[in-house]
Amino acid sequence: MVNVIKAFKRKKTITLKQELWIAILVVIIIGFISSLIISTSSAKDYFTAELKMKNVDNANSLALMLSQMDKDPVEIELLLSASFDTGYYQRIELKDPNGETIIKRAFKGELVLDAPSWFRYLYSLEVAPGIALVSDGWQQYGTLYVESHSQHTQDALWQSSVHLFFSFLAVAVVACIASAYFLSKILSPLSDVMRQAIALGEKRFIKSKVPRTYEFAKLVSSMNLLSTRFSRIVKEDRQRLEEMRFKSQHDDLTGLANREYFNATLDTFLDNTQGHGALFLFRVVNLDELTEQVGRVEMVEFLRLFSQSLVAFLESNEDSFRESHIARMSHVDFLVLFSDVSDLTLLSDNILQSHQQLVAQYAQVDLAVSHSCSLVTTNDTRGALLKRVDSLLKVAIAKPGCNAHFTVDGTAELRNDDLNFWRETIESALKENQLEIALYPVTSFSDVLLQQQISLSLLLKGEKYGIGFYYQWAHKLQLLARLDWSLMKLMIKQYGELTDGALLGMELSAGTLHDDMAVASILTGLCAYPELAKRICFEVRANTAIKDLPLFRRFCSQVHSIGAKVALKRVGAEFTKLTKIQELGLEMIKVDSVYCHNISFNDSNQSFLRGVCSLAHSLGIKVVAEGVKNPSDQSTLKGLGFDGVVAVEESV
């Protein structure tokens, strides 16, 4: 027992269940030992009293017999010897009135007993001998002393103690079993309380079922109330942010993105793209004539129908591109930006046919919708790209009716053939382990390192190429899950033995999240390095999390179970759609550069980002900005409440 207590004392922490078990065991052991001692002592007192009474009774009866018989020494000796031999006596002695021994019989042999010596020592019986007077007529003949064997009584006491020991032991075992049952029932809500407490510590404000135990019920109710308040605050803040964001970034009439937001999106796209995109410019011809001949109401209705047709077209052709952005740039001009366009001609023909059907409803007005499109090249700037599509559009609207005009450069025609080249290139890099870790430090505005954002670079023919160069091709070839697993193995190799250091941010693609085997492999491999797991922060793009929120919630739970962290990157409008964000336990969010671009001159985005920071900080989430180059923008972001920025330049 002492060793058990010492073992628990050596522990830094001890659970409530362990403490209760210690208390129960202490009570049971004390009760067991005290009951055994008290029962044995009571039995000893009982046996002592009985043995004394026996001595007195035997002495009186034997003295009476001696008093009634003749005082022949031979007969007296025979009687005393017969009594001594037939009973368990230690001594029978007859003394005269002067104290001289007349006859004495005493046991001088060794008794064979079951009681051990230590028990006989602890429970030795001190029993007074029975004393009776022997008379001869009216004269005292002598005094008789009768003393029984106390060792036989000690042996009986030992047998009684053994029986009591096993009886009390059985009761103690039953008490332990009953205690275990009732303890499990009493502490059954404790696991839910602990789970909720741990979740609160991880910035996940979840609610638990209120147990029946009064103390647990009060505790869980208080934590549930805290979670409910946070949920209500988060929900209200999300709604307010969404209204603010939508109003500042969208056109009131059509609900499409406005000029300022689209310009920031296009600048960000051009900064990050490797030429995998296309820009469409649509113009509604003779829209003012529609207003004059039919009315403003009809003009507004047409613009809404036209906007809806563009959105419906994008939704029905999702397989032809990876991402799209649509905006109303002016009264009659609309822009659509595509990334990873697979067939530019097919897209143009389909949208042209759709617009011809739309304007056919307004035959009374010479209404037309023409468009131009151009592929995005690596060195394009926003001004050059917009000027190019505008020049192409002038050619299209020079003809009557709905028309389209675009040019396809020679490199675009080779894109499908490049797929085989990129498959061989990426497969070769993976096979030959031509991989390298690239670091993008995430620092606070006081240059404190918050995180090392990690990506995978490929070494192709001696040259190093970052993720922006091969990401589009790996996405098309569905190789991102393998690349993520390769990056994890490289991180384990490089950082697995280190016990401290900065937080390491690793992005997981949507393909990896939807591949249960890939997620299991990554998390299982990381479990072998618990110290590294504490430093890993898995990053998921916000649009990926929104598209499959239940999957993302399950992933967050799995990551937290191994001690790792989760962050969101490319955060923008999706942040307001992320329901129950307080239950995800996010470590950090990285705001998309679209929202941080020229933030010093964009009051609407400043209000939105200030609200994002306030909401995130109330949940203990850090907020950093991506793709910020301008020092004045960094200063503005600091004032809005951002915690830091992601370095634009790469260091290895």
Side-chain angles (χ1 to χ4, degrees), residues 66 209 212 282 419 426 456 463 497 546 609:
L66 290 174
K209 181 181 178 182
R212 290 183 297 176
F282 299 89
L419 283 175
I426 296 176
L456 188 65
E463 296 290 334
E497 302 301 327
I546 291 295
L609 294 182

Side-chain angles (χ1 to χ4, degrees), residues 277-557:
L279 184 66
F280 279 65
L281 173 60
F282 299 89
R283 180 168 296 168
V284 182
V285 183
N286 297 332
L287 182 63
D288 292 334
E289 292 184 11
L290 176 65
T291 307
E292 294 175 359
Q293 296 183 22
V294 181
R296 177 174 174 78
V297 175
E298 288 294 329
M299 181 270 291
V300 172
E301 182 64 23
F302 172 78
L303 286 178
R304 288 176 176 171
L305 289 175
F306 175 70
S307 302
Q308 293 171 4
S309 70
L310 283 179
V311 174
F313 170 76
L314 297 178
E315 292 176 350
S316 61
N317 290 270
E318 288 181 345
D319 296 337
S320 301
F321 50 85
R322 187 169 65 87
E323 291 182 354
S324 64
H325 305 274
I326 182 172
R328 184 187 183 194
M329 300 297 288
S330 67
H331 181 55
V332 295
D333 289 344
F334 296 78
L335 279 175
V336 178
L337 177 64
F338 295 100
S339 62
D340 291 341
V341 181
S342 59
D343 193 335
L344 193 64
T345 304
L346 180 62
L347 279 178
S348 178
D349 292 342
N350 289 343
I351 192 63
L352 182 61
Q353 183 179 0
S354 173
H355 290 162
Q356 288 172 345
Q357 296 174 358
L358 178 63
V359 299
Q361 304 175 25
Y362 300 85
Q364 72 275 25
V365 182
D366 189 16
L367 194 64
V369 178
S370 297
H371 71 267
S372 63
C373 53
S374 174
L375 288 171
V376 179
T377 62
T378 305
N379 298 321
D380 266 337
T381 62
R382 172 159 56 96
L385 181 59
L386 292 176
K387 184 177 180 180
R388 186 163 67 246
V389 293
D390 186 64
S391 299
L392 294 173
L393 182 61
K394 290 178 180 178
V395 177
I397 62 177
K399 302 175 184 179
C402 298
N403 296 288
H405 187 69
F406 61 92
T407 59
V408 179
D409 60 14
T411 58
E413 297 174 354
L414 298 177
R415 288 183 187 269
N416 291 332
D417 296 335
D418 286 346
L419 283 175
N420 294 328
F421 165 77
W422 276 104
R423 185 186 300 276
E424 295 176 0
T425 301
I426 296 176
E427 292 278 4
S428 176
L430 291 173
K431 183 178 180 180
E432 298 177 8
N433 202 27
Q434 297 296 307
L435 312 171
E436 194 170 305
I437 286 180
L439 302 178
Y440 297 85
V442 180
T443 58
S444 68
F445 296 102
S446 56
D447 292 330
V448 176
L449 184 63
L450 302 178
Q451 184 198 61
Q452 287 285 13
Q453 180 174 298
I454 289 179
S455 65
L456 188 65
S457 296
L458 303 184
L459 301 177
L460 308 177
K461 298 180 180 179
E463 296 290 334
K464 184 176 69 173
Y465 295 91
I467 187 172
F469 187 78
Y470 66 81
Y471 181 87
Q472 313 293 349
W473 303 108
H475 174 74
K476 287 183 177 181
L477 297 169
Q478 298 182 350
L479 294 174
L480 289 176
R482 290 183 58 190
L483 290 169
D484 288 343
W485 172 234
S486 299
L487 177 57
M488 175 53 67
K489 291 192 293 185
L490 200 59
M491 289 175 61
I492 290 175
K493 181 179 179 181
Q494 185 163 334
Y495 300 104
E497 302 301 327
L498 300 179
T499 57
D500 57 0
L503 199 64
L504 303 174
M506 171 187 173
E507 180 182 353
L508 290 183
S509 64
T512 301
L513 286 182
H514 286 86
D515 189 339
D516 292 338
M517 290 297 295
V519 172
S521 298
I522 290 175
L523 298 184
T524 303
L526 195 58
C527 283
Y529 300 88
E531 293 300 323
L532 177 61
K534 296 177 183 177
R535 298 174 54 199
I536 293 293
C537 183
F538 291 104
E539 299 180 349
V540 179
R541 297 196 179 193
N543 58 353
T544 301
I546 291 295
K547 285 180 180 178
D548 200 340
L549 192 54
L551 175 66
F552 181 64
R553 290 184 185 279
R554 187 166 65 252
F555 173 73
C556 290
S557 178

Side-chain angles (χ1 to χ4, degrees), residues 90-151:
Q90 177 67 32
R91 174 174 69 97
I92 296 179
E93 184 177 3
L94 179 63
K95 293 184 179 181
D96 60 19
N98 297 323
E100 297 294 330
T101 300
I102 301 173
I103 297 173
K104 180 180 181 181
R105 294 295 304 274
F107 182 80
K108 298 181 180 179
E110 292 290 336
L111 293 177
V112 179
L113 303 173
D114 294 331
S117 58
W118 62 267
F119 184 82
R120 294 198 301 270
Y121 174 77
L122 291 176
Y123 292 94
S124 59
L125 301 180
E126 301 294 336
V127 183
I131 302 174
L133 297 177
V134 179
S135 63
D136 184 11
W138 294 102
Q139 301 294 323
Q140 180 180 350
Y141 179 75
T143 304
L144 182 65
Y145 297 88
V146 177
E147 183 179 353
S148 297
H149 272 300
S150 62
Q151 289 88 343

